[in-house]
Amino acid sequence: MLGRLYTVQFDNVSVSAAQDLFEITPADDKPLEIVGLFLSQTGVADVGDAAEECLPVQIIRGFTSSGSGGSAPTPAPVKRVDAAAGFTAEVNNTTLATTGTTVTIHSDNFNVRVGYQNWWPEGTEPDASQANTTIVVRLTRAPADAITLSGTLYIREG
C-alpha cells in the first residue's frame, strides 16, 4: 500500500497499569498499516539487573468502541509537505477498548531496560480499515512498579 507516513507519539509517561499504548481509528476509505513501533523506558527506576522486567505487547484489530483515560495527540506527517492525517489517535488509555470482534495480529515482549524497536517488512504490516475498525497496541500486563515510557508508532495511510 502506498500512502503518506505519519507518527503518533507519547513521551515520558508514567505507566503503572495495563493500557492501550496506541489506539488508531482509520478514516472513511483510508486504510492504514502500522510500519514501525518503538518503545523505550526513559526513567532510571528499572535500569538495574534486579529491577528489569519483560512486558507483553499485542497488536489487536477490530474494536468498535474506544478506550479512555489517555490523551489524543495529533498525528505528525513524516514529510513536511504531506497533508494532515485522516485517522484519529489516542495514547495511554488506561481503560482498555473492549467492544468488537477482535483478532490479535502480533504478540511480543520487550525488556524495559533494552526497549523495543520493530520495522515490519513490506507485506507483513498490521493493517486496519474503517470496515474492521480500531487497531490498538496494548501493554497487556502492568509493570511490577511504575516505569516511565516513551513511544512512537509509524503509520502509513492509504
Side-chain angles (χ1 to χ4, degrees), residues 41-64:
Q41 179 184 226
T42 50
V44 296
D46 286 328
V47 295
D49 289 343
E52 74 180 78
E53 59 185 308
C54 291
L55 294 175
V57 176
Q58 291 184 327
I59 297 178
I60 307 166
R61 177 179 54 217
F63 291 104
T64 55

Side-chain angles (χ1 to χ4, degrees), residues 72-87:
T74 301
V78 172
K79 302 297 184 187
R80 63 185 175 357
V81 297
D82 281 348
F87 64 87

Side-chain angles (χ1 to χ4, degrees), residues 82-94:
D82 281 348
F87 64 87
T88 59
E90 295 179 13
V91 295
N92 305 111
N93 280 340
T94 53

Side-chain angles (χ1 to χ4, degrees), residues 91-108:
V91 295
N92 305 111
N93 280 340
T94 53
T95 300
L96 307 177
T98 57
T99 306
T101 304
T102 62
V103 60
T104 300
I105 303 167
H106 182 83
S107 293
D108 210 342

